Amino acid sequence: MESTQVDFYSLTLPQLRTFLTGLGKEKFRAQQLYKWVYEKNVTDPEMMTNLSKDFRQSLMERVTFKLPEMVDRRISVDGTRKYLFDIGNRQTVEAVMIPSDDRMTLCLSSEVGCNLACKFCFTGKQKLKRRLTAGEIVGQFLQVKMDMGETRLSNIVFMGMGEPLDNTDAVFDAIEIFKSDYGLNLSRKKITVSTSGLVPQIPLVTQSGTRLAVSLNAPNDEIRNEIMPINKKYPLKVLMEACREHANTTKDLVTFEYVLLKDVTDHIDHAEQVSQLIRNIPCKVNLIPFNEHPDSGYQRPSRNKVFQFQKRLVDKGFHVTIRRTMGRDIFAACGQLTSQYKGRPQQQNVSTGVLG
Ligand code: SAH
Ligand code: SF4
């Protein structure tokens, strides 16, 4: 029986309909089930009173409702919450809830490790171990939602561990579930997919209607090739073209994330070059002062340098924010986790996300 069980949290509404049709059930039962689970938080088929007894029985036999287990939770003085989830086989991923005045943003992981090997990134130091399933992505959200009680999560960003566009099936199924009227009912505009620049997959973000963030991180191909190997495959010209397409089609602004690495990407001339690169793209820029981690070989620039960089771009007419480092005391920012957890046997596979 085990082998024929399906994971409820991995199923989009159309997939659930197909599954239920296979069980000889009407299509509208999918909506009913979604409502039980996502609206009423009921996952015990016995309690789904508008379903027949035999249907409830087959649900119990054929469907699992298993969430990734929350094995650690830390709350920062600034309100940031960092969660660690066990996804089996001694592998863990993290999610971080970041509060601000007007929103509660949940940063989700899409993979354990990452193959794109960006030089400054802690996750990138670990080869990809596993891509998460849609259910494991939705599961992170549900667990945090439960933990937050009455406080509603308003935004989702795929900026935790992994490259979401390297795991498109699961990520876009999860997004469908987040957006579904009968599911979690989140607006597409409140979901952001961040990519290092997997150009062929960017149209999937466009189709999903979600917001696109691109980790630009360098002012020219030479430096980008050096710190982000993916640039050799999809250099800035094609990446910028894909961003322009996305912005033109969706009428949304693209967010360019730019990690400031001392003496590598933080020169004032670099700001000038960035302004040239993005000048024809409806966008905003988010500067991320580098979060140091052991053996990274890079450093965070001085605050002054960061402000100068920002000012140059602002003077050119761009909207530029500087990402605040949240949750410093709980090691929620990039590169601070592993050292904290090292040596704790049940958490040896802990790896860090890449939050700013
Ligand atoms: N793989 C995706 C999403 C996760 S990374 C991507 O690369 O876009 C989220 C952001 O954190 C990216 O913009 C990345 O460049 C940035 N980042 C990675 N390591 C960092 C570090 N040590 N300090 C600050 N930002 C970092
Ligand atoms: Fe992967 Fe993003 Fe880190 Fe690059 S920055 S290694 S794409 S997680």
Side-chain angles (χ1 to χ4, degrees):
M1 198 48 77
E2 191 69 25
S3 61
T4 60
Q5 286 192 319
V6 298
D7 167 26
F8 183 87
Y9 299 116
S10 282
L11 296 177
T12 63
L13 194 61
Q15 288 165 354
L16 181 60
R17 286 194 186 114
T18 307
F19 174 74
L20 294 179
T21 313
L23 292 182
K25 298 293 165 198
E26 307 92 329
K27 286 205 165 77
F28 73 90
R29 298 287 178 197
Q31 275 130 260
Q32 284 184 326
L33 257 177
Y34 251 50
K35 282 190 173 181
W36 277 115
V37 175
Y38 291 119
E39 276 179 23
K40 300 181 195 150
N41 299 323
V42 172
T43 55
D44 177 1
E46 289 284 20
M47 292 170 68
M48 301 181 182
T49 43
N50 56 357
L51 309 182
S52 70
K53 200 159 183 273
D54 79 300
F55 185 21
R56 283 185 265 161
Q57 186 59 38
S58 27
L59 286 178
M60 282 188 284
E61 285 165 9
R62 299 291 309 277
V63 184
T64 59
F65 297 89
K66 195 170 166 289
L67 293 173
E69 190 192 344
M70 189 193 296
V71 288
D72 196 17
R73 183 195 71 173
R74 295 184 179 214
I75 304 182
S76 162
V77 288
D78 66 23
T80 303
R81 291 180 180 212
K82 187 187 66 178
Y83 300 87
L84 185 71
F85 295 107
D86 183 346
I87 53 160
N89 292 327
R90 300 178 64 80
Q91 286 176 339
T92 52
V93 290
E94 60 177 12
V96 180
M97 196 289 301
I98 307 143
S100 63
D101 291 346
D102 60 340
R103 63 185 70 173
M104 293 283 160
T105 303
L106 181 60
C107 176
L108 294 174
S109 290
S110 55
E111 300 181 320
V112 185
C114 180
N115 269 347
L116 296 183
C118 303
K119 275 217 186 133
F120 50 83
C121 173
F122 210 90
T123 306
K125 284 199 188 295
Q126 299 196 309
K127 283 248 167 282
L128 177 70
K129 298 216 176 67
R130 180 154 87 67
R131 297 182 170 91
L132 300 191
T133 64
E136 287 163 342
I137 296 170
V138 172
Q140 294 171 59
F141 181 93
L142 293 176
Q143 287 284 39
V144 177
K145 180 173 176 255
M146 264 187 280
D147 186 57
M148 295 297 293
E150 292 298 296
T151 311
R152 194 171 179 271
L153 297 170
S154 59
N155 295 62
I156 291 177
V157 293
F158 283 90
M159 293 183 191
M161 294 164 59
E163 165 56 52
L165 296 189
D166 180 52
N167 186 16
T168 50
D169 285 355
V171 164
F172 288 104
D173 278 356
I175 287 174
E176 281 312 304
I177 297 166
F178 291 138
K179 289 191 311 189
S180 170
D181 295 344
Y182 303 100
L184 294 159
N185 206 1
L186 264 124
S187 154
R188 64 182 179 86
K189 301 225 179 208
K190 306 274 176 166
I191 303 172
T192 302
V193 176
S194 174
T195 180
S196 56
L198 294 186
V199 169
Q201 282 77 34
I202 287 179
L204 295 174
V205 183
T206 315
Q207 280 158 32
S208 77
T210 49
R211 292 190 182 269
L212 174 68
V214 169
S215 300
L216 180 60
N217 293 349
N220 55 48
D221 280 320
E222 197 189 340
I223 298 177
R224 204 164 190 271
N225 285 343
E226 172 60 26
I227 61 176
M228 297 180 75
I230 188 67
N231 195 67
K232 292 182 194 142
K233 204 163 175 191
Y234 307 114
L236 285 168
K237 192 166 183 296
V238 291
L239 178 57
M240 291 303 110
E241 191 47 45
C243 292
R244 203 176 352 260
E245 284 265 343
H246 174 87
N248 289 344
T249 310
T250 58
K251 309 284 178 238
D252 290 331
L253 301 181
V254 173
T255 300
F256 287 111
E257 296 159 285
Y258 190 97
V259 178
L260 286 162
L261 305 171
K262 184 172 183 237
D263 298 334
V264 181
T265 62
D266 67 344
H267 200 278
I268 202 71
D269 292 346
H270 296 153
E272 190 70 35
Q273 289 177 46
V274 167
S275 75
Q276 288 301 315
L277 269 178
I278 63 176
R279 70 181 190 282
N280 292 324
I281 306 172
C283 68
K284 53 189 175 184
V285 178
N286 190 218
L287 300 175
I288 318 177
F290 178 63
N291 289 310
E292 295 181 9
H293 50 84
D295 308 323
S296 74
Y298 295 109
Q299 289 166 329
R300 174 186 280 235
S302 67
R303 281 163 63 89
N304 227 350
K305 217 51 200 256
V306 174
F307 289 134
Q308 277 170 16
F309 200 99
Q310 179 189 36
K311 183 169 184 308
R312 178 58 64 94
L313 285 172
V314 168
D315 288 346
K316 295 271 171 186
F318 293 99
H319 178 67
V320 189
T321 48
I322 299 172
R323 193 177 296 178
R324 274 188 306 154
T325 302
M326 300 288 282
R328 206 182 273 253
D329 54 330
I330 56 163
F331 301 90
C334 177
Q336 298 181 315
L337 276 176
T338 303
S339 52
Q340 185 72 355
Y341 282 106
K342 210 176 252 172
R344 287 174 61 174
Q346 76 276 30
Q347 288 157 347
Q348 254 160 17
N349 279 329
V350 170
S351 36
T352 185
V354 285
L355 290 157

